[in-house]
Coordinates of all heavy atoms in Angstrom, one line a residue:
R19 N -13.8 -56.6 23.3 CA -13.5 -57.6 22.2 C -14.8 -57.9 21.5 O -15.8 -58.3 22.2 CB -12.9 -58.9 22.9 CG -12.6 -59.9 21.8 CD -11.9 -61.1 22.5 NE -11.7 -62.2 21.5 CZ -12.6 -63.1 21.2 NH1 -13.7 -63.1 21.9 NH2 -12.4 -64.0 20.3
K20 N -14.9 -57.7 20.2 CA -16.0 -57.9 19.4 C -17.2 -57.2 20.0 O -18.3 -57.7 20.0 CB -16.3 -59.4 19.3 CG -15.2 -60.2 18.6 CD -15.5 -61.7 18.4 CE -16.4 -61.8 17.1 NZ -16.6 -63.2 16.7
G21 N -17.0 -55.9 20.4 CA -18.0 -55.0 20.8 C -18.4 -55.2 22.3 O -19.2 -54.3 22.8
A22 N -18.0 -56.2 22.9 CA -18.4 -56.5 24.3 C -17.2 -56.2 25.2 O -16.1 -56.4 24.9 CB -18.9 -57.9 24.5
V23 N -17.5 -55.8 26.5 CA -16.5 -55.5 27.4 C -15.8 -56.9 27.8 O -16.5 -57.8 28.3 CB -17.0 -54.8 28.7 CG1 -15.9 -54.6 29.7 CG2 -17.6 -53.4 28.3
D24 N -14.5 -57.0 27.6 CA -13.8 -58.2 28.0 C -13.2 -58.1 29.4 O -13.3 -59.0 30.2 CB -12.8 -58.5 26.9 CG -12.1 -59.9 27.1 OD1 -12.9 -60.9 27.1 OD2 -10.9 -60.0 27.1
T25 N -12.5 -57.0 29.6 CA -12.0 -56.8 31.0 C -12.2 -55.3 31.3 O -12.1 -54.4 30.4 CB -10.5 -57.1 31.0 OG1 -9.8 -56.3 30.1 CG2 -10.2 -58.5 30.7
L26 N -12.4 -55.0 32.6 CA -12.5 -53.7 33.1 C -11.8 -53.6 34.4 O -12.2 -54.4 35.3 CB -14.0 -53.3 33.2 CG -14.3 -52.0 34.0 CD1 -13.7 -50.8 33.3 CD2 -15.8 -51.8 34.1
E27 N -10.8 -52.8 34.5 CA -10.0 -52.7 35.8 C -9.9 -51.3 36.2 O -9.4 -50.4 35.5 CB -8.7 -53.3 35.6 CG -7.8 -53.3 36.8 CD -6.4 -53.9 36.6 OE1 -6.2 -54.5 35.5 OE2 -5.5 -53.7 37.4
H28 N -10.3 -51.0 37.4 CA -9.9 -49.7 38.1 C -8.9 -50.1 39.1 O -9.0 -51.0 39.9 CB -11.2 -49.2 38.8 CG -12.2 -48.6 37.9 ND1 -12.2 -47.3 37.5 CD2 -13.2 -49.1 37.3 CE1 -13.2 -47.0 36.7 NE2 -13.8 -48.1 36.5
N29 N -7.8 -49.3 39.1 CA -6.7 -49.6 40.0 C -6.4 -48.4 40.9 O -6.5 -47.2 40.4 CB -5.4 -50.0 39.3 CG -4.9 -48.9 38.3 OD1 -5.5 -48.8 37.3 ND2 -3.9 -48.2 38.7
R30 N -6.1 -48.6 42.1 CA -5.6 -47.6 43.0 C -4.6 -48.2 43.9 O -5.0 -49.1 44.8 CB -6.8 -46.9 43.8 CG -6.3 -45.8 44.7 CD -7.5 -45.0 45.3 NE -8.2 -44.2 44.3 CZ -7.8 -43.0 43.9 NH1 -6.7 -42.4 44.5 NH2 -8.5 -42.3 43.0
D31 N -3.4 -47.9 43.7 CA -2.3 -48.6 44.4 C -1.4 -47.6 45.2 O -1.4 -46.4 44.9 CB -1.4 -49.3 43.3 CG -2.2 -50.1 42.4 OD1 -2.9 -51.0 42.8 OD2 -2.2 -49.8 41.2
K32 N -0.7 -48.2 46.2 CA 0.3 -47.4 46.9 C 1.3 -48.3 47.5 O 1.1 -49.5 47.6 CB -0.4 -46.6 48.1 CG -1.1 -47.5 49.1 CD -1.7 -46.7 50.2 CE -2.4 -47.6 51.2 NZ -2.9 -46.8 52.4
A33 N 2.5 -47.7 47.7 CA 3.6 -48.5 48.2 C 4.7 -47.6 48.9 O 4.8 -46.5 48.5 CB 4.3 -49.3 47.1
L34 N 5.3 -48.2 49.9 CA 6.4 -47.6 50.5 C 7.6 -48.6 50.6 O 7.4 -49.7 51.1 CB 6.0 -47.1 51.9 CG 7.1 -46.3 52.7 CD1 6.5 -45.3 53.7 CD2 8.0 -47.3 53.6
G35 N 8.7 -48.2 50.1 CA 9.9 -49.1 50.1 C 11.0 -48.4 50.8 O 11.2 -47.2 50.6
V36 N 11.7 -49.1 51.7 CA 12.8 -48.5 52.4 C 14.1 -49.4 52.3 O 14.0 -50.6 52.5 CB 12.4 -48.2 53.9 CG1 12.0 -49.5 54.6 CG2 13.6 -47.5 54.6
S37 N 15.2 -48.8 52.1 CA 16.5 -49.5 52.1 C 17.4 -48.9 53.2 O 17.5 -47.7 53.2 CB 17.2 -49.5 50.8 OG 16.5 -50.2 49.8
V38 N 18.0 -49.7 54.0 CA 18.8 -49.2 55.1 C 20.2 -49.8 54.9 O 20.4 -50.9 54.3 CB 18.3 -49.5 56.5 CG1 16.9 -48.9 56.7 CG2 18.3 -51.0 56.7
Y39 N 21.2 -49.1 55.3 CA 22.6 -49.5 55.2 C 23.3 -49.4 56.6 O 23.1 -48.4 57.3 CB 23.4 -48.6 54.3 CG 22.8 -48.6 52.9 CD1 21.8 -47.7 52.5 CD2 23.2 -49.5 51.9 CE1 21.2 -47.7 51.2 CE2 22.6 -49.6 50.7 CZ 21.7 -48.6 50.3 OH 21.1 -48.6 49.1
L40 N 24.0 -50.5 57.0 CA 24.7 -50.5 58.2 C 26.2 -50.6 57.9 O 26.6 -51.4 57.1 CB 24.3 -51.8 59.0 CG 22.8 -51.9 59.4 CD1 22.5 -53.2 60.2 CD2 22.3 -50.7 60.1
G41 N 26.9 -49.7 58.6 CA 28.4 -49.6 58.4 C 28.8 -48.7 57.2 O 27.9 -48.1 56.5
E42 N 30.0 -48.5 57.1 CA 30.6 -47.7 56.0 C 31.4 -48.5 55.0 O 31.9 -49.6 55.4 CB 31.5 -46.6 56.7 CG 30.8 -45.7 57.7 CD 29.7 -44.8 57.1 OE1 29.7 -44.6 55.9 OE2 28.8 -44.5 57.9
R43 N 31.4 -48.0 53.8 CA 32.2 -48.8 52.8 C 33.7 -48.8 53.3 O 34.2 -47.9 53.8 CB 32.1 -48.1 51.4 CG 30.8 -48.4 50.8 CD 30.9 -48.1 49.2 NE 31.4 -46.8 48.9 CZ 30.6 -45.8 48.8 NH1 29.3 -45.9 49.0 NH2 31.1 -44.6 48.5
P44 N 34.3 -50.0 53.1 CA 33.8 -51.2 52.3 C 33.0 -52.2 53.1 O 32.8 -53.3 52.6 CB 35.2 -51.8 51.8 CG 36.1 -51.5 52.9 CD 35.7 -50.2 53.5
H45 N 32.6 -51.9 54.3 CA 32.0 -52.9 55.2 C 30.5 -52.5 55.3 O 30.0 -52.1 56.4 CB 32.7 -52.9 56.5 CG 34.1 -53.2 56.5 ND1 34.6 -54.4 56.0 CD2 35.2 -52.4 56.7 CE1 36.0 -54.3 56.0 NE2 36.3 -53.1 56.5
V46 N 29.7 -52.6 54.3 CA 28.3 -52.1 54.3 C 27.4 -53.4 54.2 O 27.6 -54.3 53.3 CB 28.1 -51.2 53.1 CG1 26.6 -50.7 53.1 CG2 29.0 -50.0 53.2
R47 N 26.4 -53.3 55.0 CA 25.3 -54.4 54.9 C 24.0 -53.6 54.5 O 23.7 -52.6 55.0 CB 25.1 -55.1 56.2 CG 26.4 -55.8 56.7 CD 26.1 -56.4 58.1 NE 27.3 -57.0 58.6 CZ 27.7 -58.3 58.5 NH1 26.9 -59.1 57.8 NH2 28.8 -58.8 59.0
R48 N 23.2 -54.2 53.6 CA 22.0 -53.6 53.1 C 20.8 -54.4 53.4 O 20.8 -55.7 53.3 CB 22.1 -53.3 51.6 CG 20.8 -52.7 51.0 CD 21.0 -52.6 49.5 NE 19.8 -52.0 48.8 CZ 18.8 -52.7 48.4 NH1 18.8 -54.0 48.6 NH2 17.8 -52.1 47.8
G49 N 19.7 -53.8 53.8 CA 18.4 -54.5 53.9 C 17.3 -53.7 53.3 O 17.4 -52.4 53.3

């Protein structure tokens, strides 16, 4: 901004997401 560094961000991210299902349709529970 106006020739000067306003923000500088280096990012390194990671994630693991898991969904589980208990039972069979129509009786399914999800977590």
